[in-house]
Amino acid sequence: MSDWFTVDYVHKLYNGVKRNLDIDFQFHVLTDKGEELKDHPYNIIPLANDLEMYWNKIEMFKKDLFTGPCLYLDLDVLVTRNITGVIKNLMDKSRGQFFMIRQFFDSLANSSIMYWDDDFGHIYESFVADIQRNVYMFRRRGIGNIGDQGYIAHMVDYDYLDNFSSIGWITCAFIFIIFGVDTHRNISR
């Protein structure tokens, strides 16, 4: 959670997962605003670093924090269909693997949706060893993937989630923002 996203985003994401996942799960929120979520069924994990924007996402890779199976969803992701089959398929066949979603507009790895089933603590350890350098190296400079997703993709041998399974069960808010679609209107024709 950040200044960009209110607690409503957390509630909507949790409710979407709860409605569309038929297996037991734990819902974790990494945030510096834990007080706002204390009376809800979420496991609140305070952020240890004061990083800019999306760089806080790197904290979920602290050694032994989440070793899998883990499905990560950005707060602007909406789960719109049942994902039980996808998750069971990943759990059955992907031990030790790391998946990221493919950006639809340039086919680079995107960290909005990730799945892993192992300890990827080296991502965090390497990042905090030289935060300034890592942030600088993955800023927009006209080369390759940028930000946290570029860094994560650089640090792991990943596969695209959509190579493994259909991704028709999600809608990312940034898709609508980029194309200027009015999300309040019915866009199906």
Side-chain angles (χ1 to χ4, degrees):
M1 224 170 62
S2 68
D3 291 335
W4 291 14
F5 298 106
T6 66
V7 296
D8 291 336
Y9 281 84
V10 177
H11 303 322
K12 288 176 185 176
L13 182 58
Y14 173 79
N15 289 327
V17 171
K18 185 177 177 184
R19 197 171 38 252
N20 291 293
L21 184 59
D22 300 329
I23 55 178
D24 291 337
F25 67 93
Q26 297 175 357
F27 193 86
H28 303 275
V29 181
L30 279 79
T31 182
D32 57 354
K33 300 182 182 343
E35 274 299 306
E36 299 175 38
L37 296 169
K38 68 179 180 180
D39 297 325
H40 297 281
Y42 318 132
N43 181 23
I44 306 304
I45 301 171
L47 292 170
N49 299 298
D50 184 24
L51 301 172
E52 294 179 38
M53 303 183 330
Y54 45 74
W55 289 108
N56 286 310
K57 193 181 298 185
I58 301 296
E59 287 198 29
M60 75 180 136
F61 297 107
K62 285 182 183 174
K63 183 129 182 84
D64 298 322
L65 182 59
F66 300 117
T67 57
C70 295
L71 174 67
Y72 170 82
L73 303 169
D74 267 355
L75 288 176
D76 61 351
V77 170
L78 303 173
V79 181
T80 58
R81 293 187 195 150
N82 193 289
I83 61 174
T84 305
V86 172
I87 300 305
K88 284 184 175 181
N89 198 14
L90 284 164
M91 290 170 67
D92 289 344
K93 299 179 181 173
S94 66
R95 182 72 184 141
Q97 291 182 277
F98 195 99
F99 294 89
M100 299 176 80
I101 195 167
R102 183 189 324 253
Q103 293 184 155
F104 71 95
F105 51 89
D106 62 11
S107 294
L108 294 174
N110 185 288
S111 63
S112 295
I113 301 172
M114 297 182 285
Y115 177 90
W116 65 95
D117 194 0
D118 208 343
D119 186 358
F120 287 90
H122 70 280
I123 296 171
Y124 177 78
E125 295 302 321
S126 178
F127 182 78
V128 297
D130 195 346
I131 293 173
Q132 280 187 309
R133 178 186 177 282
N134 288 317
V135 168
Y136 174 77
M137 292 301 296
F138 289 92
R139 290 221 187 264
R140 182 174 298 277
R141 296 188 323 240
I143 57 166
N145 211 346
I146 59 163
D148 66 284
Q149 57 207 19
Y151 178 77
I152 294 166
H154 175 73
M155 294 299 297
V156 297
D157 182 21
Y158 66 92
D159 194 1
Y160 288 116
L161 187 57
D162 48 320
N163 284 349
F164 189 83
S165 174
S166 167
I167 56 167
W169 47 271
I170 59 97
T171 303
C172 296
F174 67 83
I175 293 172
F176 298 114
I177 292 168
I178 289 171
F179 291 111
V181 173
D182 180 357
T183 58
H184 297 288
R185 291 182 9 206
N186 181 356
I187 59 172
S188 61
R189 300 207 191 315

